[in-house]
Amino acid sequence: MTSPTRKGASRHFVLAAGGTGGHLIPAFALAAELDARGHHVALITDERGANIPGKPDYLTAHVLPAGRFGKNPLRWPGAARAVWDGRNMALRLFESFAPTAVVGFGGYPALPALLAATSAGVPSVIHEQNAVLGRVNRLLAGRVDAIATAYPAVARLKDKHRDKAHLVGNPVRAEVLALRDEDFPAFTEEGLLRVLVTGGSQGARVLSEVVPDGLAMLPPGLRQRLQITQQCRPEDLDAVRQRYADHDIPAELGTYFEDMHERLADAHLFIGRAGASTIAELTAVGRPAILIPLPIATDDHQAANTREIVQAGGGRMIRQEKFAPKELAKQIQAMAQNPASLANAAHAAWNCGRPDAASDLADLVESMGGIDTMDVIRVGEPAKAARTAPSAEPAPGAARDNAA
């Protein structure tokens, strides 16, 4: 629950994040929560982040140099100089902004801001969206005051740093969180099976190649009830449209859907990648999923992201090398063989959600300014009772008639 704004308690916070949606969506969610509490918030990012759709109008963006340390060591000196220049610029910004705390969300653009904060003695927090601590957050873990995590188990987090780790979850967009208390859409033996297929911000060619043929291998009674919404790369649209037409499966295709939260609300089953924001939204709303982790993701973090929802029974994971039409059809049949099994999976996914993530993270950030930490869960401690309610009592967001 959002803390009431405290009279005279308005403070300044700086959020620092890489320019991708995975880093910025939780940053924007925290910004909205802090703004609602009466605080002032600024953003440090790169050019992509400063211009990304969805950035709140009140959130002023500052673009600082940030070198990227890739695999070529010849480029490391230049990257180090860029980080140093960005750090110095951040220090000058802090002189005028006087932040209570700096919060990093990963990505190389966050590195200069966090280095400046630790150098200037400004309290600092990092938030890790994935189930594996990212490179920049690993560099900063020993310097910052607190580490906020999205999962109870986080790989690459050193034991000596676990005492400052807090489980808060991964904040999601407000329009997605608003769907949490809605029922799982009715799914009957004769009704439509609505499937949502996405591959991240740029789409995924493997989904375009496998999903239409996999759906075509379903038993006729199920195949004839399919209604597909699929995100594709622009260059793949025509070929995917023809595949669905050949299989006589109705499908709406697009490169980008502005109303993705509404499509998620209508979906009975999700098929796609396992990015941190995707998992957070699926569990916030409670949607069963078949997840195909990106095989080149750093430290295989997308596969790690699937662990909690799969173990709970809310999803299934297929490695890309095994992602073939026959295997996909097999997994869909297992999940959608009857309305009860799909609704139970939705309920299990819902139970993995952490709807208070933005509020809990804001509590943690506010505590850096002298206010006691409020209701923030330590990594390794039991989750709140509301999040571990017996599955015998269907939760909002799952089909009450069919949930286990």
Side-chain angles (χ1 to χ4, degrees):
M1 189 132 180
T2 302
S3 301
T5 302
R6 300 164 181 80
K7 186 176 181 180
S10 179
R11 282 165 280 147
H12 294 253
F13 295 95
V14 171
L15 313 185
T20 66
H23 296 305
L24 286 169
I25 288 174
F28 292 165
L30 176 62
E33 178 70 18
L34 292 172
D35 180 74
R37 297 185 184 195
H39 301 306
H40 302 285
V41 191
L43 174 70
I44 289 177
T45 185
D46 56 15
E47 290 286 354
R48 292 180 302 168
N51 297 294
I52 196 169
K55 183 178 75 65
D57 293 337
Y58 59 80
L59 188 59
T60 303
H62 303 269
V63 177
L64 302 185
R68 183 177 181 86
F69 294 86
K71 295 181 179 180
N72 186 352
L74 295 178
R75 296 184 179 180
W76 293 352
R81 284 194 297 272
V83 170
W84 187 256
D85 290 342
R87 170 190 172 276
N88 292 336
M89 291 175 65
L91 285 170
R92 291 194 292 272
L93 176 65
F94 294 169
E95 288 177 1
S96 60
F97 199 75
T100 296
V102 177
V103 187
F105 289 85
Y108 283 104
L111 185 56
L114 270 297
L115 290 176
T118 57
S119 173
V122 177
S124 55
V125 179
I126 54 175
H127 179 269
E128 179 54 60
Q129 300 89 50
N130 293 295
V132 180
L133 202 64
R135 290 175 180 173
V136 169
N137 283 346
R138 289 202 297 270
L139 289 172
L140 295 165
R143 295 171 173 262
V144 298
D145 298 287
I147 301 168
T149 71
Y151 295 92
V154 180
R156 305 296 292 270
L157 175 62
K158 294 181 179 179
D159 289 341
K160 63 182 179 181
H161 298 148
R162 292 185 184 277
D163 62 344
K164 55 182 174 182
H166 302 260
L167 174 61
V168 300
N170 195 7
V172 299
R173 297 171 293 164
E175 59 266 31
V176 173
L177 190 59
L179 302 172
R180 181 165 176 83
D181 292 330
E182 295 188 5
D183 288 340
F184 183 64
F187 176 59
T188 65
E189 296 285 359
E190 294 79 28
L192 291 173
L193 174 60
R194 292 188 292 272
V195 181
L196 176 63
V197 185
T198 75
S201 59
Q202 301 301 317
R205 176 158 293 163
V206 68
L207 298 178
S208 296
E209 294 172 345
V210 173
V211 173
D213 294 343
L215 294 172
M217 297 179 72
L218 292 171
L222 191 57
R223 186 178 69 242
Q224 293 167 4
R225 297 156 52 202
L226 291 170
Q227 188 176 75
I228 310 302
T229 300
Q230 183 163 344
Q231 174 208 25
C232 306
R233 292 180 178 181
E235 62 270 25
D236 295 336
L237 272 174
D238 290 340
V240 178
R241 186 174 288 113
Q242 186 60 53
R243 281 186 170 179
Y244 278 118
D246 291 343
H247 297 314
D248 196 26
I249 296 175
E252 180 182 0
L253 308 180
T255 58
Y256 178 75
F257 296 108
E258 291 187 0
D259 59 344
M260 186 63 79
H261 65 287
E262 295 179 4
R263 295 173 186 273
L264 183 61
D266 290 337
H268 296 111
L269 178 65
F270 173 88
I271 302 173
R273 293 298 195 197
S277 292
T278 296
I279 301 293
E281 292 189 353
L282 290 171
T283 56
V285 179
R287 290 298 178 269
I290 295 175
L291 301 162
I292 303 89
L294 180 68
I296 60 172
T298 305
D299 296 318
D300 201 23
H301 68 257
Q302 286 204 3
N305 290 348
T306 70
R307 196 166 296 129
E308 185 178 35
I309 188 173
V310 169
Q311 290 177 349
R316 291 166 182 253
M317 188 264 279
I318 307 174
R319 289 283 187 179
Q320 184 161 312
E321 61 268 22
K322 296 182 179 179
F323 185 56
K326 185 176 181 180
E327 179 63 21
L328 176 61
K330 173 185 172 183
Q331 297 298 339
I332 293 174
Q333 281 186 261
M335 295 190 75
Q337 58 187 336
N338 60 65
S341 61
L342 201 60
N344 288 343
H347 181 53
W350 189 92
N351 274 338
C352 293
R354 295 183 174 87
D356 299 326
S359 178
D360 284 348
L361 181 56
D363 289 343
L364 176 61
V365 170
E366 279 188 329
S367 75
M368 298 293 109
I371 295 175
D372 291 339
T373 302
M374 298 166 54
D375 197 26
V376 174
I377 308 167
R378 284 280 183 180
V379 167
E381 288 186 1
K384 293 179 183 176
R387 294 175 192 158
T388 56
S391 60
E393 292 295 329
R400 292 182 174 87
D401 292 338
N402 298 314

